Amino acid sequence: MGIKVEFNPDLALRNISEYKNGKRKIEECVPEKMEAGQVYDFLKSGQRLFYLSDSEFWGKGQLPLCETSGDEKLSRPLASVKILEATHFLEGGEVWTRGKYKVIEVFDTDDEKIHFEALKRI
């Protein structure tokens, strides 16, 4: 018997329409108007582990914020974010991960520029 844990090299949240349609909590969704420098809450089902660091080598702990439609289908990075905290908790017999992230830079979705190479911010 083991402990089921998922390592996440990115923060993948749902489209805000999921919240507006009553399917998700707002913390499970990409903010409608995201701003650099702002701190937002996130919520993910399961026990998730995120990269936390201030190392210059890995871009000071920055990772891509993507939109997911589920089944590991991700958009291109929408922003570069830094996870500030992540906490695991039980609710209704299920494990969840909640935390806070700071938006470092919001990317233009029409821009084809590459912003990450694996986990390294470019």
Side-chain angles (χ1 to χ4, degrees):
M1 184 167 163
I3 299 170
K4 186 175 179 183
V5 176
E6 185 172 326
F7 292 85
N8 292 140
D10 51 39
L11 178 59
L13 300 174
R14 300 293 178 132
N15 186 281
I16 193 70
S17 65
E18 298 262 335
Y19 167 71
K20 292 179 178 179
N21 292 331
K23 296 179 181 178
R24 303 267 175 186
K25 294 180 181 179
I26 195 160
E27 297 87 357
E28 294 179 274
C29 300
V30 174
E32 195 162 17
K33 293 184 181 182
M34 209 172 6
E35 293 182 35
Q38 294 299 309
V39 175
Y40 299 91
D41 295 323
F42 73 86
L43 178 66
K44 298 286 293 178
S45 64
Q47 191 164 333
R48 311 297 182 112
L49 298 179
F50 293 95
Y51 177 65
L52 304 174
S53 175
D54 240 359
S55 168
E56 221 27 83
F57 181 76
W58 289 109
K60 298 202 74 58
Q62 294 180 45
L63 50 108
L65 170 67
C66 300
E67 187 176 288
T68 181
S69 58
D71 297 322
E72 300 178 3
K73 295 177 185 155
L74 302 176
S75 70
R76 291 193 52 165
L78 303 175
S80 176
V81 301
K82 184 172 185 172
I83 304 291
L84 302 176
E85 62 183 61
T87 304
H88 305 115
F89 67 100
L90 289 171
E91 186 173 286
E94 290 185 51
V95 178
W96 291 82
T97 303
R98 68 176 159 222
K100 295 184 180 299
Y101 64 96
K102 181 176 183 177
V103 176
I104 306 303
E105 182 181 353
V106 178
F107 304 138
D108 181 353
T109 54
D110 294 328
D111 185 5
E112 293 295 318
K113 183 178 177 186
I114 295 173
H115 300 283
F116 286 89
E117 186 173 290
L119 289 177
K120 190 172 182 182
R121 175 79 161 92
I122 297 175

